[in-house]
């Protein structure tokens, strides 16, 4: 019996990634990252670790799958009962939610450039982190997820969902027209969290939005793409593009 080809493509593609990109780690218990590189929140965490040279072990975990190596498999649910990625295990400290993970890693490892100790600067960052899921994250749930997860039968892209996304992008444009990055003059974990959600829509990736009328947002994405380890953290996303293109064509043919 034939299994859904797109899901198998994602599964086997994901299972072969990132092993060549892991930095060496000392003997003992390294930080363990669970997720897949097509996951936007996972890429945020991965990029931060790569940028800072933090040692980690990668364990491919396919969201929503109850197969071995999936986030709904019994073995993974023992670690994270919510069955979500990214998840980290830092020598027994298990955390879910990318915003919490980025804040934790920054505090533990002294990444004061990405998460400043100044109370006002940190409050601005936390302000964005708290609203991320109801704003910027919508770009993935409204535009990408219906294509990437066809078996979930998510609502199709509509004029209404496009209007929601336009509102999100317009707010980011207003913010970035006043300052170089989301929370001020330097990039922080707020930018690290937002960037994968926005940049995936570019023509060089999933080609799902026209940014010609958003100059500040475009300038910000260019600035973010110039940061250390950007290309390495997004290399496996680029490898995934031929598969996504086929999934996108199949999705659009049914509209």
């Amino acid at each position: 019996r034939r299994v859904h080809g797109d899901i198998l493509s994602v599964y086997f593609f994901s299972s072969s990634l990132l092993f060549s990109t892991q930095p060496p780690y000392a003997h003992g218990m390294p930080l363990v990252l669970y997720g897949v590189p097509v996951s936007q929140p996972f890429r945020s965490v991965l990029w931060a670790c790569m940028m800072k040279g933090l040692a980690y072990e990668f364990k491919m975990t396919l969201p929503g799958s109850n197969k071995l190596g999936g986030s709904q498999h019994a073995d993974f649910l023992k670690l994270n009962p919510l069955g979500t990625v990214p998840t980290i295990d830092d020598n027994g400290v298990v955390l879910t939610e990318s915003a919490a993970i980025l804040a934790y890693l920054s505090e533990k490892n002294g990444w004061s450039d990405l998460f400043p100790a100044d109370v006002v600067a940190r409050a601005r960052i936390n302000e964005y982190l708290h609203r991320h899921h109801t704003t910027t994250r919508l770009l993935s749930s409204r535009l990408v997820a219906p294509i990437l997860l066809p078996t979930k039968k998510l609502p199709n892209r509509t004029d209404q969902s496009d209007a929601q996304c336009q509102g999100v992008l317009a707010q980011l444009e207003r913010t970035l027209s006043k300052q170089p990055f989301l929370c001020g003059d330097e990039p922080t974990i707020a930018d690290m969290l937002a960037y994968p959600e926005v940049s995936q829509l570019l023509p060089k990736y999933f080609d799902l939005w026209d940014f010609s009328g958003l100059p500040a947002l475009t300038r910000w994405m260019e600035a973010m793409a110039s940061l250390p380890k950007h290309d390495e953290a997004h290399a496996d996303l680029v490898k995934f593009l031929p598969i996504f293109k086929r999934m996108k064509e199949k999705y659009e043919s049914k509209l």
Side-chain angles (χ1 to χ4, degrees):
R1 184 173 132 192
R2 187 173 177 181
V3 183
H4 195 288
D6 291 333
I7 297 299
L8 277 180
S9 296
V10 174
Y11 184 87
F12 289 118
F13 174 83
S14 300
S15 68
S16 66
L17 299 178
L18 284 177
F19 295 102
S20 62
T21 64
Q22 297 178 97
Y25 52 84
H27 294 296
M29 294 290 290
L31 173 72
V32 182
L33 308 182
Y34 296 86
V36 287
V38 295
S39 160
Q40 306 84 9
F42 177 81
R43 285 201 304 279
S44 296
V45 175
L46 174 69
W47 187 12
C49 291
M50 296 179 83
M51 179 188 293
K52 293 299 184 180
L54 182 64
Y56 63 86
E57 177 185 354
F58 169 74
K59 291 192 176 181
M60 192 283 292
T61 307
L62 187 66
S65 173
N66 58 12
K67 299 177 184 290
L68 183 63
S71 70
Q72 297 299 315
H73 189 271
D75 290 348
F76 186 76
L77 291 174
K78 291 176 183 177
L79 182 75
N80 174 6
L82 297 176
T84 57
V85 297
T87 295
I88 67 167
D89 184 347
D90 185 24
N91 199 21
V93 177
V94 177
L95 284 178
T96 66
E97 296 300 325
S98 50
I101 293 169
L102 287 168
Y104 166 77
L105 293 177
S106 296
E107 290 189 290
K108 179 181 178 181
N109 297 290
W111 299 346
S112 57
D113 53 338
L114 294 179
F115 200 38
D118 176 80
V119 64
V120 175
R122 186 164 289 194
R124 297 297 183 202
I125 296 168
N126 283 326
E127 180 182 36
Y128 174 80
L129 299 183
H130 281 285
R131 69 168 180 259
H132 173 81
H133 275 290
T134 58
T135 54
T136 316
R137 186 71 176 137
L138 291 176
L139 300 175
S140 291
S141 62
R142 299 294 188 268
L143 302 178
V144 179
I147 300 171
L148 197 59
L149 303 170
T151 59
K152 296 291 185 182
K153 301 187 183 303
L154 300 172
N156 288 326
R157 182 174 178 175
T158 64
D159 290 344
Q160 182 179 7
S161 63
D162 273 15
Q164 285 182 303
C165 294
Q166 180 61 52
V168 169
L169 294 169
Q171 179 58 54
L172 292 173
E173 177 73 12
R174 286 192 290 272
T175 298
L176 292 166
S177 67
K178 301 173 184 176
Q179 57 198 34
F181 297 96
L182 290 179
C183 298
D185 293 334
E186 302 295 334
T188 68
I189 59 173
D191 300 276
M192 302 288 289
L193 189 63
Y195 176 81
E197 309 284 350
V198 182
S199 65
Q200 66 182 338
L201 308 181
L202 286 166
K204 68 178 180 179
Y205 294 125
F206 293 162
D207 193 15
L208 292 171
W209 201 268
D210 179 7
F211 286 92
S212 59
L214 299 166
L217 197 54
T218 299
R219 184 265 313 150
W220 169 76
M221 286 190 285
E222 292 171 352
M224 291 297 294
S226 71
L227 295 180
K229 300 297 181 180
H230 170 276
D231 291 351
E232 292 87 341
H234 293 80
D236 291 317
L237 177 65
V238 173
K239 294 177 186 176
F240 177 71
L241 294 182
I243 296 173
F244 183 84
K245 182 179 180 180
R246 293 196 296 271
M247 298 176 80
K248 182 181 176 185
E249 289 172 349
K250 186 174 182 178
Y251 170 79
E252 291 176 343
S253 71
K254 295 181 178 180
L255 293 179

